[in-house]
Amino acid sequence: MTTDTPDEDGFTGQDMSHAVGADAATGGSATATADIAVRTEDVWKIYAQEPEDVEAVRGVSLEIREGDFMTMAGPSGSGKTTLLNLLGGLTRPTRGRIWVRDKEITNFSGKELARMRLESIGFVFQAFNLLPVLSALENAEFSLLLRGVPAEERHRRVQELFAEIGLDGLESRKPARLSGGQQQRVAVARAVVGEPTLVLADEPTANLDSHSSDDLLDVMERLNREHGTTFLFSTHDPRVVERARRRVSLVDGQIVSDERG
Amino acid sequence: MTDDRWIWLRLAWRNLWRNRKRTLITASALSVGYLASVTMIGLWEGMLAEMIESGTNLVTGQLQIHSPDYYPERSMYATLGGRDGIDVDELVRLTQETPGVVAASPRVYGGGLVSSGSETVAGMLVGVDPEREADVTQLLSFPAEGRAPRAGEREIFIGQGMAELLEVGPGDEVVLVAPAADGSLGNDLYEVSGVFSTGLVALDGSFGILPIGSLQELMYMPENRIHEIAASIEDPFAVAALGDSLGATLDAQGLDYPVLPRPWTVFRAELAAYADLAGAVNGLVVGIIFIMAVFGVANTMLLGTFERRREFAVVRALGTPPAKVAVTVVYEGLIMGVLALAAGVALSVPVLFWLHNYPPDLSNLFGEISAAGGVIRPVLRAEYSVGGPLASGIGLLVTSILSALYPAYKAVKILPADALANL
């Protein structure tokens, strides 16, 4: 059994020979199809811990299609956040393989994962996690800036998005002067402005009141419907689960149900 | 964030001001370190200047011109130009005309016995041109008793220690016996014109100053034979370069005898060694100041890094390359260093001005101190220099960057998933 230790890139890694072995065992048959945003194959995440290792994710195989608006629900400790981190390239699997579109990211270096996250993944966090020294506009355009998009185009895209999600006029405000709902909408703008393959939202409504939660879900639903943005929510919130068109349930690190409709 | 080139610098600037008090306190610590460093270097250079001044102005001058074979044996026969002698006035003039030279004066040296009654003391006899010498050294200028010897008179100006041993004072006669250039022994009666007291035991106990003509007469040497041209110069710290340029100037004159200018660092080697040692100790102390500052600032910056773990995790999660995260933290250190440098310069200018122009006189607490053949007044006078503030400024900026390196490393090593999970 292999367990995780941080590597020089600051990521918890896996025994790569094992992953390569898995590829060889399947004869390289695992290939991605065009409309699949993210795919996992028998992904495990095991944390070395005393007195015994913790198996946070156990053999998850999952396909997320482009345009999905899906939730991942489960009790605390069921492995939701860990699976989200694996899909977003924030941590590496102990075993198994992960593809983002047609690229396998399992063996990516820390630098390659950073590039992949920048280009393909949007994150929305429970605690908003906006950078307090930046204005709403600067926060939202941050990933575009990292991609080298010219300032003029960045501003145009963010302002259009702000107008669309009800943040018009708040561009210059620092996060401390925004309500929780406004901050989370800025975070959503930051996540979607670069048109990523997948937006991972970890309990996005947990720190919001019901009115703000509904507003936020409206925004994300509209972005999904009108722009085809793929969303995966990790959540306990029944309002989020109700709106999802696909619902995955996780228990003890394993998918126990996957329903559409 | 309109100008992308400076985004990480701007981010660092804004981050610094998130905790204004902490930034100001940390920058103040660096500024005080800079002030301490600049002041220490200034005072050390002031003390050194005082030592060099007193150690060279008193007797030797800062630059001496000899025949190449004169030093270190100081043979009586190794006069400039050898037996033929030189045009003394011309060499003095050429020396004085060299840029950087203040004044020059010819000298003759001899060893001999000085006697009075039944007492005899071995002495170093120095023949000087009293008028010219007054512009080069100060020994003749401050007699403790009597006066300096006059040109053309058979007079001797002796140290306090010698006067006490011989039990003589101004107006008394002493007998001088000295080996002469023709192989005989010269001897004659000389009147004590005055007594000097430098506080340096060796000097006060064994030196006798005579008009150059009188000593040449005693040693059967013609007027055109001298051992040395002593010179005072504008900048004692630039003596090596001036010695080279003087040598080149004299060579260019096509003199028909060899000359070799020697800086005070050669004929007052113990003073130069003491200055080097003091400089090394001073450098060490300044180094310790900045090393202490590195740990203090690094500790504060590390604290700031830990406080912002989640933010670093977020920017990493968004795809920021680790190098950019590190650069931002290093920029924070650098900006703090620049701010501290500006404040440090603003603080140190009036302090140095005060110490240079109105130095505290500690004479009431300490008497004069003699060290390495020089006398130091207990005055805290700082010398102006470019090197001290420049070295301290570089030290401060290097300190601020070094202080940021470990926090930057820690920021890069933050695991985004763990930090976002508050682990």
Side-chain angles (χ1 to χ4, degrees):
Chain A
M1 181 69 70
T2 55
T3 52
D4 295 336
T5 48
D7 67 8
E8 73 267 8
D9 296 317
F11 287 86
T12 48
Q14 63 160 348
D15 180 345
M16 294 303 175
S17 60
H18 193 107
V20 172
D23 187 35
T26 57
S29 61
T31 53
T33 52
D35 63 339
I36 291 176
V38 175
R39 188 160 72 92
T40 69
E41 182 183 282
D42 191 28
V43 164
W44 289 70
K45 184 67 182 177
I46 301 164
Y47 293 105
Q49 202 168 301
E50 294 295 335
E52 58 184 71
D53 295 347
V54 175
E55 295 176 344
V57 172
R58 300 193 300 157
V60 168
S61 294
L62 179 69
E63 282 183 357
I64 301 170
R65 293 178 188 282
E66 289 187 5
D68 267 353
F69 194 73
M70 63 184 283
T71 57
M72 189 161 58
S76 291
S78 58
K80 301 188 297 290
T81 299
T82 304
L83 186 54
L84 232 55
N85 288 339
L86 286 165
L87 297 175
L90 288 177
T91 187
R92 293 196 186 98
T94 311
R95 270 206 320 262
R97 306 168 75 184
I98 302 173
W99 288 263
V100 173
R101 284 230 167 97
D102 55 349
K103 277 188 188 160
E104 182 176 357
I105 66 166
T106 320
N107 295 337
F108 271 17
S109 67
K111 210 172 177 180
E112 288 170 324
L113 282 175
R115 192 74 210 168
M116 184 279 295
R117 289 195 301 271
L118 178 61
E119 289 170 353
S120 306
I121 307 291
F123 289 95
V124 179
F125 305 100
Q126 177 180 335
F128 321 141
N129 286 336
L130 298 179
L131 299 178
V133 295
L134 302 183
S135 67
L137 183 140
E138 288 169 338
N139 264 290
E141 71 173 7
F142 194 80
S143 60
L144 296 181
L145 178 104
L146 291 174
R147 290 192 202 179
V149 176
E152 216 168 288
E153 191 188 336
R154 289 199 312 261
H155 293 181
R156 183 185 56 74
R157 283 168 69 172
V158 170
Q159 274 163 346
E160 280 175 12
L161 194 55
F162 271 24
E164 198 176 332
I165 64 177
L167 289 172
D168 222 4
L170 301 177
E171 288 86 350
S172 60
R173 285 212 194 163
K174 293 277 172 62
R177 294 185 55 227
L178 295 171
S179 69
Q182 288 169 333
Q183 286 190 54
Q184 197 61 305
R185 271 184 282 166
V186 173
V188 169
R190 179 177 67 186
V192 303
V193 72
E195 297 172 358
T197 306
L198 173 66
V199 174
L200 298 169
D202 190 7
E203 309 269 9
T205 57
N207 286 350
L208 300 178
D209 58 41
S210 57
H211 180 71
S212 300
S213 294
D214 286 338
D215 281 353
L216 185 78
L217 288 169
D218 288 344
V219 163
M220 291 196 278
E221 212 169 12
R222 194 165 64 244
L223 289 167
N224 170 259
R225 197 172 52 243
E226 293 174 8
H227 297 278
T229 311
T230 310
F231 282 92
L232 170 59
F233 301 92
S234 148
T235 188
H236 286 107
D237 189 343
R239 283 168 303 194
V240 182
V241 178
E242 269 172 28
R243 296 211 192 192
R245 293 196 298 277
R246 182 181 171 193
R247 297 172 198 87
V248 170
S249 294
L250 217 58
V251 174
D252 293 337
Q254 289 182 309
I255 292 176
V256 293
S257 70
D258 187 350
E259 301 164 3
R260 287 188 179 271
Chain B
M1 292 202 291
T2 48
D3 192 346
D4 298 348
R5 286 171 302 172
W6 306 110
I7 172 62
W8 305 108
L9 194 63
R10 286 154 61 94
L11 206 55
W13 171 263
R14 291 188 197 179
N15 278 328
L16 265 186
W17 297 111
R18 287 167 67 176
N19 196 326
R20 193 176 297 260
K21 271 186 196 167
R22 185 162 63 199
T23 298
L24 289 176
I25 289 170
T26 312
S28 300
L30 281 170
S31 301
V32 170
Y34 175 84
L35 174 67
S37 171
V38 166
T39 306
M40 274 197 64
I41 293 173
L43 287 173
W44 168 71
E45 289 187 344
M47 189 192 77
L48 192 60
E50 172 99 0
M51 271 183 67
I52 294 167
E53 199 177 303
S54 73
T56 57
N57 277 7
L58 199 59
V59 181
T60 60
Q62 285 106 36
L63 195 62
Q64 295 178 350
I65 301 166
H66 305 123
S67 171
D69 57 349
Y70 180 69
Y71 208 81
E73 284 82 9
R74 301 174 81 96
S75 161
M76 175 177 56
Y77 303 105
T79 50
L80 284 158
R83 287 176 182 278
D84 296 335
I86 61 167
D87 182 340
V88 175
D89 288 339
E90 189 199 13
L91 186 56
V92 169
R93 182 183 60 77
L94 288 172
T95 305
Q96 285 188 157
E97 285 175 356
T98 303
V101 173
V102 174
S105 177
R107 288 174 173 181
V108 169
Y109 290 95
L113 297 173
V114 187
S115 305
S116 173
S118 59
E119 301 296 336
T120 300
V121 175
M124 164 70 85
L125 305 176
V126 187
V128 301
D129 178 335
E131 283 185 14
R132 285 169 163 163
E133 189 65 32
D135 295 329
V136 176
T137 62
Q138 297 175 338
L139 192 56
L140 300 179
S141 307
F142 304 103
E145 293 176 70
R147 58 168 174 76
R150 291 188 182 122
E153 301 289 336
R154 271 196 197 167
E155 293 178 337
I156 185 166
F157 189 48
I158 60 175
Q160 184 110 47
M162 185 186 282
E164 285 170 4
L165 281 169
L166 297 174
E167 297 175 353
V168 295
D172 293 335
E173 286 188 328
V174 292
V175 176
L176 299 188
V177 180
D182 64 354
S184 65
L185 274 178
N187 63 89
D188 218 329
L189 269 179
Y190 288 79
E191 183 179 322
V192 177
S193 68
V195 174
F196 61 81
S197 176
T198 63
L200 298 171
V201 176
L203 203 62
D204 292 347
S206 63
F207 262 59
I209 317 291
L210 297 84
I212 191 167
S214 298
L215 186 56
Q216 284 168 325
E217 192 181 338
L218 179 69
M219 295 170 67
Y220 295 105
M221 286 174 76
E223 283 182 7
N224 66 347
R225 288 191 71 183
I226 60 168
H227 292 116
E228 174 179 294
I229 300 280
S232 57
I233 64 175
E234 287 168 1
D235 181 5
F237 292 101
V239 69
L242 182 58
D244 292 343
S245 96
L246 178 60
T249 303
L250 296 177
D251 280 349
Q253 292 300 318
L255 299 175
D256 57 357
Y257 52 90
V259 294
L260 184 61
R262 289 190 169 92
W264 64 265
T265 48
V266 171
F267 55 82
R268 293 302 311 273
E270 79 288 1
L271 189 59
Y274 186 85
D276 287 346
L277 178 67
V281 171
N282 202 51
L284 192 66
V285 173
V286 169
I288 289 170
I289 289 174
F290 281 120
I291 288 169
M292 285 168 64
V294 165
F295 286 105
V297 177
N299 184 45
T300 308
M301 292 195 69
L302 204 53
L303 192 67
T305 306
F306 281 124
E307 283 175 359
R308 285 153 50 203
R309 284 184 83 232
R310 280 184 78 86
E311 287 172 35
F312 288 123
V314 169
V315 296
R316 291 289 309 281
L318 295 177
T320 306
K324 298 289 186 192
V325 173
V327 160
T328 307
V329 177
V330 172
Y331 274 155
E332 286 176 29
L334 186 61
I335 293 170
M336 189 144 62
V338 171
L339 291 175
L341 181 58
V345 169
L347 278 174
S348 60
V349 165
V351 170
L352 282 181
F353 179 82
W354 170 62
L355 288 173
H356 182 78
N357 294 292
Y358 310 101
D361 189 343
L362 306 181
S363 300
N364 292 335
L365 299 173
F366 310 102
E368 287 187 335
I369 304 156
S370 70
V375 178
I376 307 167
R377 291 174 302 148
V379 171
L380 293 179
R381 181 176 174 278
E383 193 73 14
Y384 289 143
S385 76
V386 175
L390 188 66
S392 302
I394 292 169
L396 187 150
L397 292 178
V398 169
T399 296
S400 59
I401 291 170
L402 285 179
S403 305
L405 289 181
Y406 185 61
Y409 169 78
K410 294 299 283 185
V412 166
K413 285 295 173 189
I414 287 170
L415 303 175
D418 288 355
L420 289 168
N422 275 335
L423 291 177

